[in-house]
Amino acid sequence: MAAPTPVSALVHSSTLVTAGVYLLIRFNNLLVDIIFIKFLLLISGLTIFMAGICANYEFDLKKIIALSTLRQLGLIIRILRIGYGDLAFFHLLTHAIFKALLFICAGVIIHMISDNQDIRLIGGIRLYIPLTSLCINISNLALCGIPFLAGFYSKDMILELVRIRNLNFLIFYLYYVSTGLTVFYTIRLLIYLIINYFNLLSIYNLYDEDFTILKSIFMLLFISLVSGRFLR
């Protein structure tokens, strides 16, 4: 969270954070019969719930996105423990795309408000950086699992599999409540960043959008729009 935003985009999407999850996916067949699996299923459910609660009460922009990553990793571990390694890897790939897009857009916003990360000091960025606001909106909607974006194809399948598996009520309700918490903190983030008016609590570094960064952002945007369908 203290690293530069491009570094955070790599770390939280596809390198350091997901390395352990990838190893668990590779060694899934060796671990599937161990009694530790049931304990890990409960721990991952509590991780999802805890990350959702913390993100709803956090005001640091990068911490909210980092807690979102923690929630998605708990979700991957959970679906892996239920017994669907391929689906866990599929969600790992789709999550990496829209989470990298989300971090890059957050970096543009933080730079614009003079390196301030408090979302209470941000507002009305749609008036100054509309294209970046569009991209952060789409990446947040993909995080929620809105239909036909990258996150929809894996999250919808995970929801269906959780419903048809013979899981106890604690695991079942933890998953569904945690999915609702994701939607809550995503809408809260959009209200603070996009919908609120400019509140004059921070000095905006007003500038036209940097088209060098926008080329990378739109490349990630295109991939996040079409990757779920093609990877499926």
Side-chain angles (χ1 to χ4, degrees), residues 24 47-48 51 55 67 80 102 120 122 169 203 214 223 230:
L24 283 175
T47 302
I48 296 171
L67 287 166
L80 183 64
L102 195 55
R120 290 170 293 187
I122 312 172
F169 275 118
I203 300 172
L214 274 179
I223 297 172
F230 282 105

Side-chain angles (χ1 to χ4, degrees), residues 121-146:
L121 309 182
I122 312 172
I125 63 168
R126 68 190 187 280
L127 304 174
Y128 306 109
I129 43 172
L131 295 177
T132 307
S133 302
L134 171 70
C135 295
I136 199 170
N137 267 325
I138 293 176
S139 59
N140 268 322
L141 293 177
L143 178 63
C144 289
I146 296 298

Side-chain angles (χ1 to χ4, degrees), residues 98-109:
F98 61 76
K99 189 51 65 70
L101 174 62
L102 195 55
F103 260 111
I104 295 296
C105 293
V108 173
I109 294 168

